[in-house]
């Protein structure tokens, strides 16, 4: 079991293990109303999720563009158990969690306006993955769309790009299959 403890004084979490640290990142990604853009604002202001969850409301209010609803939801976040369970399921499935501040987190992804707080990685992130392209699209794709995704993925692989996929049905899955077929 992964435990994230909260002190009664300021409701500040502490991470006693790497798994608990991952749970803090997952918890941050589960705060209602906090999207990737809001996350980036918090990440530029605080060093870690512990600091975010420990912050006083006045400090959070000083962050330009952070919605009042998000500040309330951060202060009253109660999904610690679910965040811990998500981390445990991922680790049990052989999935690595890569938090935003991890040196392995892709620098180009970190630089976009709306990066995810944590990546779920099955396999490994390699230096050559810096040349990566995500191919995403409709789950109920037309045959034409699937053909374009297949050709695009195959051609990008031939040029040395890594094709990234969320493995959803439709365009994503077609692109992923074509990339695997292309080696």
């Amino acid at each position: 079991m992964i435990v994230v403890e909260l002190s009664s004084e300021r409701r500040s979490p502490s991470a006693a293990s790497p798994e608990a640290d991952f749970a803090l990142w997952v918890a941050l990604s589960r705060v209602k109303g906090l999207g990737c853009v809001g996350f980036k604002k918090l990440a530029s202001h605080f060093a870690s999720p512990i600091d975010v969850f420990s912050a006083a409301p006045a400090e959070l209010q000083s962050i330009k563009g952070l919605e009042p609803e998000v500040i309330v939801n951060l202060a009253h976040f109660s999904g610690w158990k679910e965040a811990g369970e998500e981390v445990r399921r991922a680790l049990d499935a052989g999935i690595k969690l890569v938090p935003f501040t991890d040196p392995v987190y892709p620098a180009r992804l970190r630089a976009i306006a709306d990066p995810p707080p944590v990546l779920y990685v099955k396999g490994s992130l390699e230096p050559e993955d810096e040349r990566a392209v995500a191919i995403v699209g409709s789950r109920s794709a037309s045959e034409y769309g699937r053909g374009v995704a297949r050709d695009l993925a195959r051609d990008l692989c031939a040029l040395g790009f890594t094709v990234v996929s969320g493995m959803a049905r439709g365009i994503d899955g077609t692109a992923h299959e074509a990339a695997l077929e292309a080696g």
Side-chain angles (χ1 to χ4, degrees), residues 2-7 12-25 48-51 54 80:
I2 298 168
V3 177
V4 178
E5 296 181 0
L6 302 176
S7 75
S12 58
S14 66
S17 68
E19 291 84 5
D21 185 52
F22 293 148
L24 286 163
W25 287 98
S48 74
I50 289 176
D51 297 336
S54 302
W80 300 109

Side-chain angles (χ1 to χ4, degrees), residues 54-135:
S54 302
E59 185 175 7
L60 292 169
Q61 289 168 351
S62 72
I63 300 172
K64 186 176 177 159
L66 196 60
E67 298 294 327
E69 168 196 10
V70 171
I71 295 168
V72 169
N73 292 339
L74 280 165
H76 294 80
F77 184 78
S78 62
W80 300 109
K81 180 180 177 192
E82 294 82 4
E85 289 169 353
E86 182 174 328
V87 169
R88 176 57 40 219
R89 282 191 309 274
L91 295 176
D92 287 348
I95 296 169
K96 295 178 213 142
L97 283 83
V98 180
F100 181 77
T101 55
D102 191 307
V104 175
Y105 193 101
R108 290 178 47 190
L109 183 59
R110 185 182 291 120
I112 68 172
D114 56 347
V118 63
L119 300 177
Y120 295 75
V121 178
K122 184 84 172 184
S124 62
L125 293 172
E126 303 295 331
E128 56 269 20
D129 292 338
E130 281 296 314
R131 289 181 44 131
V133 175
I135 299 177

Side-chain angles (χ1 to χ4, degrees), residues 131 150-163 178-179 181-183:
R131 289 181 44 131
R150 231 182 329 271
D151 292 345
L152 187 58
R154 184 182 57 245
D155 293 348
L156 285 168
C157 287
L159 292 171
F161 284 86
T162 298
V163 174
E181 289 169 7

Side-chain angles (χ1 to χ4, degrees), residues 137-141 146 168-172:
S138 175
R139 289 186 182 188
S140 55
R146 288 178 189 276
R169 286 176 294 211
I171 297 296
D172 299 47

